Structure formats: C-alpha cells, structure tokens
Amino acid sequence: MRDSMRQTLAYAALSLAVVLAMPALYPQVRPQWVAFRGAERGFAAGDLVGAARLYARAGASGFDLSPVLSRVGESYLAAGVLDQALPVFVALLEREPGNLAARLKMAELLSRDGRHGQALDQVDQALAVFPAWRTALYMRARILTFAGRFEEAIATYQTLLGEQP
Amino acid sequence: MTRHALALLALLLLLSLPAAAQPPAPAEPPPGVTPFGEAVSDLQARLELARLLSYAQRYPESVQQYRKVLEAAPEHLQARLELARVLFWSGDAAGSVAILERIPEKDLSPEDRLTLAELYVARKDYPRAEKLLRAALQERPGDDAVRFKLAEMLSWQKRYPESLALFRELLSRRPEDVQVRRRLALILAASGDKDAAIRELRRSLGE
C-alpha cells in the first residue's frame, strides 16, 4: 500500500514537472511555431512591424509561410523591409495573378522603392479590370506625383473626383 | 437534318469553350486596400489635387480646389494654411493675410509665421512683422535666415543700433559670409559710421 502510494505520488510529481516545464521547453523544441503564432497574433492586433519580425524568424527557421503570403508581405511592407517584401509579393502574384489587392500592394512597394514606372504598370493592370476603382486611381495619382509627373497626376485626381481633366 | 443540327450544336459548344475556360470577371474590386496606409476620401484627394496644382503653378485652379475643401471642412487647418500660401504666391497678399490672421497663432508653424511676417513686411506693417520674427527667433535661436530678415527690417526703419547688433551676431556665427559683411557695411554707412563701413568692406574684399 505504501509502495503504491509512493509510486502514485512519484507519477503525480513527474506529471506536474512536465506540465510546468512544457511552456519553457516548447519554444526550444518548436521555435518556428512560436514565432509564427506570435506573428499571426501581432498581425491580427495590427502590430505589423512586430509581426514582420516574427514572420521573418519563423521563415528563417524553415517554417512554410506560403499559405499566409499576403499577411507576410503586408507586414514586411509596413515594417519597411522592402527587400524582404518584394519576393513575397512576387511569389504571391505568381500564384494568384488575379489578386488585385496584392497587385496594389506590390505597386506601393515598387513606388516606395523608387521604381515608379513598374509601380504604375501594376496599378494599370488593376485599372484594366476596374477602370473606376477609386483606390487604384488614388494610388496612380500618388505614384505619378512621386515620379514628378504632376500634370498626369492632376488629370488622375480629377478623374477620381469626377471632374473634367 | 438531325446530323446537321448536331454538328451545329457541337460547333457552338466548341466555340463557347474558350469563353467558359476564362475565370469569371470579379464583380467588384477587393475591399480594404488602403494605398500608402491612407483611406481614399474625396477631401484628401481634393487637398492633394489642390497642392499639386500649386506645384504646377496653376494657382487659380489650386485656389478653387482649396476653397472646395474648405466648403466641405471649413475648419481644415492644413487647407487654410496652404490656401494662404498659394494666395501669397499668386500675388494676393491681402487674401493670404486675411486667412492667416484668422488662424490662432499657436496653430501656425514657424514657416507659416515667417510667411505671415513676410506679408506684414510687404504691407509695411513692421510692428506685427517684428513681433512674429522675434517670436520665431526665440523659438529657433539658430535660424540665421530669420535673424537676417529681422536685421534687414530694422535697418529699413532706421533702427540702426538694433540692426547692427543683429548683423554682428550673424557675423560672429558666420565670419566668412561676405554678403552679410557687405550688408553690415552698408548699414554702418547709413548710420554715419563711414570708417567702420570702409573697414568692413575692405575685409569683405579680403584686404
């Protein structure tokens, strides 16, 4: 009886130790999952800069980020790590060429990188599908402004506002 | 006859295949895309249009767009300030002053205060200009452009000792500035100290 009680207590102590050690051990065993979940939580909470850091960490440790490319790209873009964001958007648009939201994000990225001509190509592809899309028109006007093409930008703003250029 | 009808049907089916193979066109653009992190509002777009028109020196159109912005949002501080500047650039100093004077001074940026000071100078309203320039200098003691402007304005009012003090202060900060030294020489001459003026002019010529 005493032995059995001792054994039960030993098992209970062991189980408790395992339960207590788990939160500390898990990040050591599955760091990529911890980083990924943190990134997803950060993204959902709007902390895109923090999410970008954690997505990068998850990706660096071999985690497959392909199902969440748009969130990864958006986070990198918000964090200003354009060199990391670019391949993400390239991969995303290869997989989903009709993803116009991603196309506009790509345009933003290219424009922020000073590649205004390529950025305009992306916006124009979106406008070819939806010629009166306000978001795309606005983006076109901003990019033309950044490129110093003021007269074209003015005409685009006027189109957006429903005024005669 | 039946064979022909079947052949026609088959042909129609074949012709319709490429169209059927196309993915259906999306009905409307995806929501929630905010270019450069900003929502697209008419007000914002119009403000940017007004700004661009001013960069392109199309001032009357720019003014018109700013006025439309202010019709929609009469208290839009940025639009009021920018409209005042555009009016100033387009030569409507009175309109510009009228707008700037209605804006509480605490809401004016140092640049706006300088614009207002310049407008007062242009109208020879020196006391108001001086007040603004001295406040700007207190705020940014290292701003030599303001110091120069104030020194110039004081000299126009023949307040030579104050003007000279500011020019000397300027020169102590930028001893190599030949133009400031020549200006100091001119004011010394105007104040009657011709020897000092000659000395400064010689120094400005490297003698």
Side-chain angles (χ1 to χ4, degrees), chain A residues 100-101 104-105 108 111 129-130 133-135 138-139 142-143 145-146 150-151 153-154 157-158 160-161 163, chain B residues 26-30 33-38 40-42 44-46 48-49 52-53 55-56 58 65 68:
Chain A
L100 298 183
L104 287 199
K105 286 283 169 194
E108 179 181 341
S111 170
V129 184
F130 297 112
W133 188 10
R134 287 170 55 80
T135 306
Y138 182 65
M139 186 165 272
R142 299 285 303 267
I143 294 168
T145 305
F146 297 150
F150 292 163
E151 292 299 334
I154 287 168
Y157 274 117
Q158 286 170 328
L160 166 65
L161 291 164
E163 295 181 359
Chain B
E28 56 185 48
V33 185
T34 51
F36 303 97
E38 290 170 37
V40 187
S41 72
D42 268 10
Q44 182 61 26
R46 199 175 293 285
E48 288 173 22
L49 171 60
L52 263 182
L53 286 163
Y55 297 163
R58 289 162 60 175
Q65 292 297 340
K68 281 186 184 176

Side-chain angles (χ1 to χ4, degrees), chain B residues 1-186:
Chain B
M1 185 68 180
T2 317
R3 202 178 298 157
H4 280 132
L6 280 173
L8 188 63
L9 190 63
L11 187 65
L12 280 173
L13 274 172
L14 274 173
L15 284 174
S16 69
L17 265 180
Q22 298 282 328
E28 56 185 48
V33 185
T34 51
F36 303 97
E38 290 170 37
V40 187
S41 72
D42 268 10
L43 197 75
Q44 182 61 26
R46 199 175 293 285
L47 187 61
E48 288 173 22
L49 171 60
R51 207 171 281 155
L52 263 182
L53 286 163
S54 78
Y55 297 163
Q57 299 186 347
R58 289 162 60 175
Y59 298 130
E61 290 168 84
S62 172
V63 168
Q64 194 185 9
Q65 292 297 340
Y66 277 119
R67 293 209 189 282
K68 281 186 184 176
V69 170
L70 289 170
E71 262 170 41
E75 297 307 310
H76 199 300
L77 182 63
Q78 196 61 33
R80 287 159 73 192
L81 289 169
E82 290 180 19
L83 172 59
R85 262 182 240 143
V86 174
L87 286 170
F88 176 56
W89 295 333
S90 65
D92 183 359
S96 180
V97 171
I99 291 172
L100 287 173
E101 281 182 337
R102 281 203 299 269
I103 299 171
E105 206 173 298
K106 67 175 175 51
D107 291 333
L108 295 174
S109 72
E111 283 71 29
D112 297 322
R113 265 179 245 158
L114 279 185
T115 304
L116 188 55
E118 269 175 36
L119 289 166
Y120 285 144
V121 170
R123 286 168 45 166
K124 298 194 174 157
D125 188 347
Y126 298 131
R128 280 179 167 171
E130 184 180 345
K131 191 179 156 222
L132 284 169
L133 289 172
R134 287 203 187 276
L137 207 52
Q138 206 163 11
E139 214 169 271
R140 298 189 300 191
D143 194 330
D144 286 340
V146 175
R147 190 170 278 111
F148 185 82
K149 203 169 284 181
L150 181 58
E152 285 267 274
M153 199 192 72
L154 291 169
S155 78
W156 298 334
Q157 296 174 77
K158 301 192 186 334
R159 290 162 64 183
Y160 298 124
E162 290 166 86
S163 173
L164 286 170
L166 282 169
F167 271 114
R168 289 207 171 97
E169 214 177 301
L170 262 174
L171 272 177
S172 72
R173 295 164 58 82
R174 326 152 62 110
E176 303 306 316
D177 195 323
V178 172
Q179 296 308 321
V180 170
R181 195 171 292 282
R182 285 180 188 160
R183 194 72 203 132
L184 170 73
L186 284 176

Side-chain angles (χ1 to χ4, degrees), chain A residues 78-138:
Chain A
V81 281
L82 304 185
D83 53 332
Q84 280 176 274
L86 184 64
V88 173
F89 279 108
V90 168
L92 181 61
L93 286 171
E94 262 172 26
R95 198 176 68 192
E96 302 169 26
N99 185 339
L100 298 183
R103 202 161 284 288
L104 287 199
K105 286 283 169 194
M106 177 71 154
E108 179 181 341
L109 189 161
L110 289 166
S111 170
R112 281 172 60 179
D113 201 33
R115 293 189 253 173
H116 303 304
Q118 292 174 48
L120 284 171
D121 284 346
Q122 296 292 330
V123 177
D124 287 345
Q125 285 184 49
L127 282 171
V129 184
F130 297 112
W133 188 10
R134 287 170 55 80
T135 306
L137 282 170
Y138 182 65

